[in-house]
Amino acid sequence: QVHLVESGGGLVQAGGSLRLSCTASEPTFRAYAMGWFRQAPGKGREFVSVVTWIGGNTLYADSVKGRFTVSRDNAKNTEYLQMTSLKPEDTAVYYCAAMMDYKDFPDSSRPDVYEYWGQGTQVTVSS
């Protein structure tokens, strides 16, 4: 059983930055793509970004485009989400997820096409 472990969440003031990391527990784990989702209190799980493991192709939600950058380090089996110019509305629990088979947009933004999920890390942006 593969485990995805997120880290890097915390409390930051509006306009600040945070970097989230997500590492797969198995060194040989290879997904087609790794995504980030978030869930605010009382809301559904929202797509944030996705990056393909080969090629590093990326996709972003309109709400984070230009502020967030997703990347991956294949050697470390780790995905990153660099978040800048954070806003209070970015406050949520952030989850990383692994998509094992090819899915093109818009399917790649659907939570149900991701087979593995991390436990989540809280990001709180104060105004």
Side-chain angles (χ1 to χ4, degrees):
Q1 181 70 24
V2 172
H3 297 283
L4 302 179
V5 181
E6 300 111 333
S7 61
L11 173 64
V12 65
Q13 288 188 332
S17 300
L18 282 174
R19 189 177 81 156
L20 305 183
S21 300
C22 172
T23 301
S25 60
E26 293 294 327
T28 58
F29 178 75
R30 290 295 180 270
Y32 172 75
M34 297 288 291
W36 287 99
F37 289 78
R38 65 187 182 186
Q39 189 163 15
K43 295 188 177 181
R45 197 159 293 192
E46 175 191 21
F47 170 76
V48 174
S49 182
V50 62
V51 60
T52 59
W53 215 245
I54 304 299
N57 298 312
T58 59
L59 185 67
Y60 297 93
D62 288 343
S63 58
V64 307
K65 203 172 293 183
R67 299 188 298 122
F68 291 10
T69 303
V70 64
S71 61
R72 84 276 185 258
D73 185 331
N74 291 15
K76 296 182 178 180
N77 227 16
T78 299
E79 175 194 29
Y80 302 99
L81 185 68
Q82 179 67 48
M83 305 184 293
T84 63
S85 301
L86 282 161
K87 305 175 182 180
E89 51 263 45
D90 294 319
T91 295
V93 177
Y94 283 70
Y95 299 89
C96 69
M99 181 200 309
M100 302 308 293
D101 299 310
Y102 169 79
K103 299 290 189 305
D104 202 354
F105 183 82
D107 290 342
S108 57
S109 65
R110 289 170 31 202
D112 63 295
V113 305
Y114 290 79
E115 287 90 344
Y116 297 97
W117 290 84
Q119 81 288 353
T121 185
Q122 177 70 46
V123 171
T124 302
V125 184
S126 63
S127 57

